[in-house]
Amino acid sequence: MFEPRSHYPYATEIQIYAGHINYGGHLDHAQLIALVSEARVRFINSLGYQERDIDGHHFVVADLALQYKSESHHGEVLRIEIAPANFNKYGFDLEFHLTEKQSGRAVATGKAGLVCIDNATRKVSPISTLDVDWGVDARGEQPVCP
């Protein structure tokens, strides 16, 4: 369903704790979503913003899709790579790819569809009102590769 990109402009690492594990002994699906959300917050912080105030706006997750590639277990460190893509009038997709740091084993890949909300009106707002360098080229299609 999802093929990982050859390059992601942002990456962070998060260790899996006991609270992330379900009764099956591996990373719980809800906790995987929480880890991806934490990575999204870190990505926005890396741009110099707080998630709740990006030039007077914030983003809500309109849709989320992920595909598991392998189990992940307590104590492993996940590398979560992120790339903004598919910009449209009101938002964009945040594509992600998770690997186990030590082995490089693919754990999951997917995307979150984000919609721009004006903090003052609490209504959907065009993303063009934001003066943010998302780390993509002028066409807004592919990340800039260093």
Side-chain angles (χ1 to χ4, degrees):
M1 185 169 164
F2 296 105
E3 289 299 319
R5 296 171 167 266
S6 60
H7 175 76
Y8 291 82
Y10 178 80
T12 190
E13 295 174 355
I14 302 175
Q15 184 172 8
I16 298 175
Y17 296 110
H20 296 131
I21 303 302
N22 66 17
Y23 291 112
H26 54 251
L27 179 62
D28 184 83
H29 70 281
Q31 296 301 320
L32 173 64
I33 294 168
L35 295 175
V36 169
S37 293
E38 174 63 24
R40 181 187 70 240
V41 169
R42 292 180 185 187
F43 167 67
I44 291 170
N45 289 348
S46 78
L47 300 174
Y49 296 95
Q50 296 296 312
E51 187 178 41
R52 66 186 174 277
D53 187 9
I54 305 169
D55 281 352
H57 297 75
H58 67 277
F59 286 87
V60 296
V61 177
D63 62 61
L64 177 70
L66 63 91
Q67 181 179 26
Y68 287 96
K69 302 292 186 177
S70 68
E71 291 181 312
S72 195
H73 301 94
H74 176 259
E76 292 181 338
V77 175
L78 296 182
R79 178 176 170 82
I80 305 173
E81 298 175 286
I82 291 180
N86 306 318
F87 283 81
N88 61 65
K89 183 175 181 180
Y90 297 107
F92 60 94
D93 289 336
L94 205 56
E95 297 178 358
F96 54 86
H97 182 64
L98 289 78
T99 54
E100 193 279 322
K101 179 183 175 184
Q102 187 174 5
S103 68
R105 180 185 80 250
V107 173
T109 190
K111 68 104 181 166
L114 303 180
V115 175
C116 184
I117 304 293
D118 184 293
N119 287 347
T121 65
R122 307 294 292 175
K123 294 186 180 196
V124 173
S125 176
I127 194 171
S128 61
T129 62
L130 305 181
D131 184 24
V132 177
D133 178 2
W134 296 103
V136 295
D137 71 8
R139 293 172 291 135
E141 296 173 356
Q142 295 295 323
V144 175
C145 300

